[in-house]
Amino acid sequence: MILTDDRWRELLHTRATNPGAIRQAYATRRRRPHLLSDQGTLFLVAADHPARGALAVGDDPLAMADRRTLLERLLIALANPAVDGILGTPDVIEELLLLGALHDKVVFGSMNRGGLAGADWEIDDRFTGYDARTLVDCGLDGGKMLLRLVDTDPGTAPTLQACADAVTELAAYGLVAMVEPLPYAQSDGKLVLRTDPVSLARAVTVASGLGTTSAHTWLKLPSTDAPEVLGATTLPVVVLGGVPSGDPAADLASWGRTLRHDVVRGLVVGRTLLYPPDGDVGAAVEAAAKVLEAAK
């Protein structure tokens, strides 16, 4: 699945001349019959960062801004049979559909991207991507939402309500609601992720109770060595990649420890695998797949 010059030009031509091709691509996508792999795990690549204006990787503030490069890296990742699918916003999903890259893959649509990175209203994270009805109509497998919890920011309240409504709507359609609850604090005008067990466990319990039912809710959580965090729920959990640390071996080791917990089912990783320090996306994805396999 190499993005040659001809395929790239064909994609641009289709975008400009045949918008109906996107609806057709949704309708004809071959769906995988089961969410989990034969090993009972789920490994997704995440590509919903650009829609929130989160483009930086390391020292490059525009790393994820170049769309052709992003798509090339996604195609490499999706070509690995251990990668079950993707989490993305409509634009990215539709480009990959037009490239024929999502047959027999699990596809999650990203729902709230309105809390732009660095904006004054960042915590009031409006739903600007997929909605539940569209996810059903497009034949996707679930919806993901980000829930940043900041006790000192009133923007948390409408985001809580919106996420609860989305959980309820997705459950009514029988789709997975993947909630990413992250506790943050304000420090010198910046948001800082709180990684202590008390804050993380509290976020888990808040997210677990959203909506009118938790039957279809999954949680997307940071890796953690604190047993009380993952012990706070019976819901299925996937480990998020987070901001790349610059030390791939340390990231893999951290994920591996968390993956061994009984409630954890897999990985959902974006920038850390798509933009590794050495540029070898295939090797980074393969290393993560081996860590997941070894843990389960």
Side-chain angles (χ1 to χ4, degrees), residues 86 151 256 259:
I86 186 167
D151 290 351
L259 285 166

Side-chain angles (χ1 to χ4, degrees), residues 152-172:
T152 58
D153 193 321
T156 297
T159 304
L160 267 171
Q161 183 65 62
C163 288
D165 292 343
V167 168
T168 297
E169 292 168 7
L170 288 166

Side-chain angles (χ1 to χ4, degrees), residues 174-187:
L175 294 186
V176 173
M178 184 179 289
V179 185
E180 183 178 352
L182 297 176
Y184 275 85
Q186 294 278 3
S187 177

Side-chain angles (χ1 to χ4, degrees), residues 22-203:
I22 290 174
R23 181 180 292 274
Q24 180 68 12
Y26 276 121
T28 58
R29 182 177 75 90
R30 293 192 308 272
R31 295 188 64 181
R32 196 168 89 167
H34 304 292
L35 183 69
L36 298 178
S37 69
D38 292 341
Q39 291 72 42
T41 58
L42 183 65
F43 182 9
L44 302 180
V45 177
D48 61 344
H49 311 75
R52 201 175 67 79
L55 303 173
V57 179
D59 295 331
D60 185 352
L62 292 176
M64 297 193 75
D66 187 282
R67 185 50 60 96
R68 181 171 179 174
T69 299
L70 174 60
L71 292 173
E72 287 171 340
R73 291 166 184 258
L74 285 169
L75 290 174
I76 293 170
L78 289 165
N80 189 314
V83 175
D84 296 296
I86 186 167
L87 159 64
T89 46
D91 56 332
V92 175
I93 297 299
E94 289 162 3
E95 287 155 357
L96 292 170
L97 283 169
L98 292 173
L99 291 168
L102 298 182
H103 291 298
D104 304 311
K105 293 291 187 181
V106 173
V107 182
F108 271 72
S110 189
M111 302 179 76
N112 62 326
R113 298 281 82 189
L116 302 185
D120 291 342
W121 69 87
E122 184 170 352
I123 299 306
D124 187 349
D125 205 341
R126 305 298 176 95
F127 278 59
T128 58
Y130 285 106
D131 58 29
R133 180 69 253 176
T134 302
L135 291 168
V136 174
D137 291 343
C138 292
L140 303 191
D141 300 286
K144 173 258 182 179
M145 61 207 76
L146 176 60
L147 175 59
R148 286 164 293 184
L149 302 168
V150 182
D151 290 351
T152 58
D153 193 321
T156 297
T159 304
L160 267 171
Q161 183 65 62
C163 288
D165 292 343
V167 168
T168 297
E169 292 168 7
L170 288 166
Y173 292 119
L175 294 186
V176 173
M178 184 179 289
V179 185
E180 183 178 352
L182 297 176
Y184 275 85
Q186 294 278 3
S187 177
D188 297 327
K190 295 183 179 181
L191 291 172
V192 178
L193 179 64
R194 302 174 67 178
T195 58
D196 62 282
V198 173
S199 297
L200 288 173
R202 178 175 180 255

Side-chain angles (χ1 to χ4, degrees), residues 39-40 74 93 121 134 154 186 228 247 254-255 257 261 275:
Q39 291 72 42
L74 285 169
I93 297 299
W121 69 87
T134 302
Q186 294 278 3
E228 57 266 42
D247 185 346
S254 178
W255 301 341
R257 291 191 295 271
H261 196 282
Y275 297 85

